[in-house]
Amino acid sequence: MYHKEKSIQIKNSASALYNNLSVLRIAPRSLTYFTVVHANVVNMVSASWDGLNYSHRQLQSKEPNVATSTSLIMQAAWCVLPSRDLLVLTSQKGIQMYESDGSIMVYWHALDTPETPTAQAVFARGIAAVREKYICVGVSSGAMLVFDIPTKGSNITLAEVLEEHKESITDMASECSGSLECIADLVSADDAGNLCVWKSGEEFQLLNKIPGFDMCCSSVKLWKGTVVAGYGTGQIRLYEAVTGILHAEVSAHARWIYSLDIAPFSGLLLSAAEDSLVRVWHLTQTPETNSVEIAHMYNECVTDTQICGAKFCDGDGYAFAVTGYDLSEIIRYTQT
Amino acid sequence: MSSRTLPLLFINLGGEMLYILDQRLRAQNIPADKAKKVMNDIITTMFNKKFLEELFKPQELYSKKALRTVFDRLAHASIMRLNQASMDKLYDLMTMAFKYQVLLCPRPKDILLVSFNHMDAIKDFVKDTPSILSQVDETYRQLIEIYTPLSSGEFQLIRQTLLIFFQDMHIRVSIFLKDKVQNSNGRFVLPTSGPVPHGTQIPGLIRIFSCTGEEVSRLQFSNGGNYTSALREGSLEMFGDRVIKLGTNMYSVSRPVETHMSGTSKNSSQHTKVNTAPNPLAKEELNLLARLMGGLEVKKPGNTESGFRVNLFATDEEEEEALISRPDELSYGVINIQATKDQQANAELAKIMGEFTEAEDQSPHASSKGDDLLAMMDGL
């Protein structure tokens, strides 16, 4: 179904972090941006579609105006809003937001880090753009920070703190189908596998809470009202977001799942795990019977690699990209 | 990231170090009583009460330099001496072995089982010495108390923290190459076969449910591997069958300790300094070192026990050659303690070191050994 293309070399190897690849497609400029996290550095590559031009940039996590402070980055992801795209970095010290090409930092939010380290680690992780004007970021305490984003400029403010999760946030996802009919806007996941489903607004409203079974949910997506969740046991589960009804359960991987992605136009699902495998699935929804089905389409083994990031490069799922721990390249595949 | 990583890193690396030293002591036919003294001295220092107290405090992982310095001191806690090249090789083997174990752990929680495998072996080394045995037992209790309540997600965070520490290390280890668990490019083999982790199902089943919760269909897909059911879960008690083999002693007389250095420079050219603070040693790291050295017995002058040197290579010439030809990017940069800016901690540390090295110098046989020590502490 897919074949391997030329890989993109990156300046550093990828760290073993959940969802460690973000892709931004810029059609008007025939470019695709990729980011991969390596310890305290984010490697950004911009690749032209003709495969001829690559340019690299590195971003470090640090408080502005403080020369020596560095901290490990947990995640980097683009947030696509109607008026602008922002690149968000979450680290042990706080949250940074950059213009989409990484050129200017427009916002810094510091986390409350205690004087002496505590048993509970402190970091931010889990990033999602929600509807027109919000960016949500998760925190190790389980809190979720909701930022209000103006159409331009740096007047970003913290609008709300949602405290529903009790364990560290692992991932967040907003409804990606583009449909305005879906009631649920956002799903958040934590270390205990609990999922929270939200409706955005002046005040975010908790629509549903789907309990986990003390097994970490490391990656989550929301598509046409269906939550797709990947777990440390290698399972994928599909839930109806608003009701919590379990549609399907898949024994998908032999190791911890690190990344899920959905191609919204085609309903293709990408899953990747520590077991070296990337799998492509197809989701179909039948609204009349309120059923959702998942079918297996394809396997790709990235030999001797614990995969940490996998994303489709376009809305149809025509191409996807993969990163792995200790690997200094972004491996790409396109449909045959 | 996780503030609970350091004890596991230290205990597992320490365990690997003991496996390697034990094998080399036998290979070099060091008399049994001397060998035993070395092992006992090192284990006593590793499990020194004050040192462990410091170690188990929630804290960030040390820099590679600081940790290497700690192990340098530990390896020299007895009458045994190691030249720089041998110490480098020892550290390479220790770190690659633990990297392998962390990477191949079926579940993140299994890192605790790996740690217990090391602890079990350490306990066996000192089973005839009740005083040290009780220190080891106390450490088991602490490990159980702190780590067994952690969730799967928290263990994965510990594992991710360790993997960042080991990132980009691809030193080829002869015993791994022979067993085909490492490729010639230094990367470990990750099999897509064998038992799945405890709690995971063999991939291949899709179950579809109706709105009322009944299973309406089952589909199979081919998983691209050759997996078998999970083994039983290993024991996390003081005694028990750990089930997992990772962390057990892979060395023996017939499987000696060796490393390849050639060809690694090509692949290991990427080194990002994670800690770019101007002080080479943070205050916490100094505290730990001070505790460690405080736990070392000061050797009295006129001590008739003469030190001896252990070589991690087959011959002295090989050791000499290894030191000269070691690629720059793989040097560990042992820290020059005198250079730190933290005056007070430095003074205390220097005093403790001074006590130790003065005694060394007075012993007629040990003057060059003392120099060795200082040289090691004073950097590259």
Side-chain angles (χ1 to χ4, degrees):
Chain A
M1 189 179 175
Y2 289 87
H3 64 268
K4 194 160 178 266
E5 293 275 10
K6 200 172 89 145
S7 294
I8 304 175
Q9 299 303 316
I10 42 178
K11 300 287 183 203
N12 304 112
S13 56
S15 289
L17 298 162
Y18 304 141
N19 308 300
N20 192 5
L21 174 64
S22 186
V23 179
L24 184 69
R25 196 163 178 270
I26 305 181
R29 292 166 58 200
S30 302
L31 284 179
T32 304
Y33 288 164
F34 300 86
T35 57
V36 184
V37 176
H38 171 100
N40 62 335
V41 168
V42 169
N43 288 295
M44 225 180 104
V45 182
S46 131
S48 60
W49 290 359
D50 57 16
L52 296 175
N53 291 306
Y54 296 98
S55 73
H56 299 259
R57 175 174 250 146
Q58 287 191 317
L59 300 172
Q60 278 215 328
S61 73
K62 60 183 174 83
E63 292 171 66
N65 307 318
V66 181
T68 57
S69 87
T70 58
S71 67
L72 294 174
I73 301 176
M74 304 299 289
Q75 194 180 3
W78 274 287
C79 289
V80 175
L81 294 164
S83 54
R84 68 200 295 196
D85 301 332
L86 289 176
L87 175 61
V88 179
L89 267 59
T90 55
S91 68
Q92 292 178 285
K93 290 254 166 71
I95 299 154
Q96 292 160 280
M97 298 192 193
Y98 288 82
E99 293 295 0
S100 63
D101 62 358
S103 55
I104 309 164
M105 177 154 69
V106 294
Y107 184 68
W108 159 258
H109 175 95
L111 291 177
D112 289 324
T113 28
E115 280 286 310
T116 45
T118 51
Q120 156 86 307
V122 176
F123 56 83
R125 180 176 62 187
I127 302 168
V130 187
R131 291 288 175 212
E132 282 81 48
K133 56 192 286 237
Y134 303 107
I135 287 179
C136 290
V137 177
V139 182
S140 48
S141 60
M144 288 164 57
L145 308 176
V146 182
F147 295 96
D148 210 293
I149 314 291
T151 50
K152 59 180 190 280
S154 52
N155 188 21
I156 293 168
T157 53
L158 177 61
E160 209 182 344
V161 178
L162 306 170
E163 276 162 342
E164 197 59 48
H165 290 275
K166 301 285 171 280
E167 278 85 24
S168 300
I169 304 290
T170 47
D171 192 22
M172 292 205 269
S174 54
E175 172 58 62
C176 63
S177 66
S179 159
L180 295 168
E181 288 171 16
C182 299
I183 310 164
D185 293 326
L186 178 70
V187 63
S188 53
D190 69 24
D191 257 355
N194 297 316
L195 304 168
C196 288
V197 180
W198 307 86
K199 179 168 177 52
S200 67
E202 285 293 310
E203 279 178 16
F204 272 54
Q205 192 193 339
L206 178 69
L207 296 175
N208 192 17
K209 201 161 176 176
I210 303 171
F213 301 101
D214 275 333
M215 175 41 66
C216 175
C217 170
S218 39
S219 196
V220 74
K221 303 302 293 184
L222 181 59
W223 180 70
K224 292 189 176 171
T226 300
V227 170
V228 184
Y231 297 86
T233 47
Q235 255 196 353
I236 292 175
R237 281 188 231 132
L238 271 58
Y239 290 100
E240 184 176 80
V242 174
T243 59
I245 291 171
L246 178 67
H247 286 302
E249 191 176 81
V250 186
S251 302
H253 286 277
R255 292 284 189 283
W256 204 281
I257 291 177
Y258 260 61
S259 190
L260 292 179
D261 197 24
I262 291 186
F265 306 149
S266 59
L268 286 177
L269 168 72
L270 193 63
S271 68
E274 284 176 358
D275 62 0
S276 305
L277 282 149
V278 183
R279 303 195 198 273
V280 181
W281 317 80
H282 188 223
L283 303 178
T284 43
Q285 292 196 323
T286 319
E288 293 78 26
T289 51
N290 193 22
S291 67
V292 179
E293 298 206 342
I294 175 169
H296 176 255
M297 306 291 288
Y298 179 73
N299 292 330
E300 182 69 51
C301 182
V302 186
T303 314
D304 297 335
T305 304
Q306 295 204 346
I307 303 171
C308 49
K311 285 274 184 337
F312 283 117
C313 299
D314 57 274
D316 290 295
Y318 177 72
F320 65 86
V322 171
T323 57
Y325 170 65
D326 256 355
L327 224 55
S328 303
E329 54 183 304
I330 300 170
I331 311 177
R332 291 187 294 177
Y333 302 86
T334 46
Q335 277 188 21
T336 359
Chain B
M1 288 173 48
S2 176
S3 57
R4 289 267 181 234
T5 316
L6 189 59
L8 295 181
L9 183 60
F10 180 76
I11 286 169
N12 285 289
L13 286 180
E16 285 301 314
M17 181 172 88
L18 290 165
Y19 290 156
I20 296 163
L21 290 177
D22 177 59
Q23 202 271 323
R24 289 311 294 161
L25 289 167
R26 284 174 211 277
Q28 275 180 234
N29 293 313
I30 303 293
D33 61 327
K34 280 198 175 167
K36 201 166 179 71
K37 178 158 173 46
V38 170
M39 298 296 279
N40 281 357
D41 284 350
I42 292 176
I43 294 171
T44 305
T45 311
M46 250 180 95
F47 292 92
N48 170 276
K49 194 167 163 47
K50 283 209 149 47
F51 175 67
L52 286 179
E53 244 170 56
E54 191 66 43
L55 190 76
F56 273 94
K57 283 184 190 155
Q59 58 196 305
E60 291 294 309
L61 262 197
Y62 286 8
S63 63
K64 288 195 173 116
K65 281 186 190 181
L67 199 70
R68 165 61 197 264
T69 307
V70 169
F71 278 102
D72 272 4
R73 304 302 288 130
L74 194 60
H76 288 87
S78 185
I79 52 179
M80 179 190 72
R81 294 288 163 259
L82 291 165
N83 285 344
Q84 166 122 358
S86 279
M87 190 64 219
D88 284 345
K89 181 169 164 182
L90 173 64
Y91 198 71
D92 284 348
L93 291 173
M94 283 158 56
T95 43
M96 287 309 287
F98 190 42
K99 179 175 182 175
Y100 171 68
Q101 290 151 18
V102 171
L103 210 51
L104 264 88
C105 262
R107 307 170 300 174
K109 191 171 185 169
D110 294 338
I111 290 178
L112 201 51
L113 287 170
V114 172
S115 310
F116 280 10
N117 273 333
H118 283 117
M119 290 290 290
D120 292 344
I122 291 171
K123 196 164 167 169
D124 194 59
F125 284 132
V126 295
K127 62 180 183 284
D128 300 326
T129 323
S131 56
I132 316 174
L133 203 54
S134 65
Q135 286 174 258
V136 176
D137 279 343
E138 180 51 38
T139 309
Y140 268 106
R141 275 187 279 273
Q142 269 200 291
L143 285 172
I144 290 170
E145 188 188 305
I146 293 174
Y147 291 97
T148 47
L150 295 185
S151 68
S152 62
E154 283 170 297
F155 267 110
Q156 182 64 281
L157 189 69
I158 289 174
R159 184 171 173 277
Q160 291 174 342
T161 310
L162 287 168
L163 288 177
I164 289 181
F165 186 83
F166 291 128
Q167 195 136 2
D168 302 322
M169 292 183 64
H170 302 296
I171 297 165
R172 286 148 43 200
V173 176
S174 192
I175 207 170
F176 287 145
L177 294 169
K178 274 196 202 118
D179 288 347
K180 303 224 186 304
V181 300
Q182 189 179 29
N183 295 319
S184 55
N185 62 7
R187 288 160 190 280
F188 291 116
V189 173
L190 301 181
T192 52
S193 57
V196 289
H198 191 86
T200 293
Q201 304 296 314
I202 298 175
L205 185 62
I206 300 172
R207 302 169 72 196
I208 311 281
F209 300 92
S210 71
C211 309
T212 52
E214 290 150 29
E215 188 184 296
V216 296
S217 71
R218 288 193 156 214
L219 297 157
Q220 289 282 350
F221 67 90
S222 91
N223 60 32
N226 189 10
Y227 301 106
T228 53
S229 303
L231 303 173
R232 68 193 184 289
E233 203 173 2
S235 160
L236 287 175
E237 316 258 318
M238 299 262 307
F239 305 97
D241 181 5
R242 312 297 178 196
V243 180
I244 288 188
K245 296 288 163 253
L246 296 168
T248 55
N249 194 346
M250 59 181 168
Y251 302 106
S252 67
V253 176
S254 55
R255 287 154 61 84
V257 165
E258 285 178 72
T259 53
H260 286 293
M261 294 298 291
S262 60
T264 50
S265 49
K266 274 201 300 267
N267 295 324
S268 52
S269 52
Q270 284 156 348
H271 275 256
T272 309
K273 290 197 209 9
V274 175
N275 182 356
T276 56
N279 283 349
L281 275 181
K283 191 135 194 290
E284 300 74 33
E285 295 166 352
L286 278 173
N287 282 342
L288 186 69
L289 266 175
R291 296 266 184 239
L292 178 61
M293 291 198 284
L296 290 172
E297 276 173 28
V298 175
K299 298 282 183 284
K300 298 210 173 12
N303 192 342
T304 50
E305 294 257 28
S306 57
F308 60 90
R309 217 189 60 187
V310 163
N311 190 345
L312 269 274
F313 297 85
T315 62
D316 286 352
E317 289 71 36
E318 248 189 71
E319 190 185 44
E320 184 74 35
E321 177 57 40
L323 183 64
I324 297 166
S325 64
R326 189 176 180 88
D328 277 336
E329 63 266 16
L330 292 176
S331 63
Y332 286 106
V334 177
I335 293 155
N336 178 354
I337 298 216
Q338 264 63 42
T340 124
K341 296 192 172 92
D342 193 327
Q343 290 298 340
Q344 197 197 358
N346 183 25
E348 220 178 275
L349 212 58
K351 177 169 173 291
I352 296 173
M353 271 182 64
E355 275 172 30
F356 184 80
T357 52
E358 257 167 37
E360 280 288 307
D361 286 344
Q362 280 161 39
S363 162
H365 296 283
S367 55
S368 59
K369 314 298 193 285
D371 287 345
D372 259 10
L373 247 188
L374 280 175
M376 192 138 331
M377 296 310 283
D378 284 341
L380 302 158

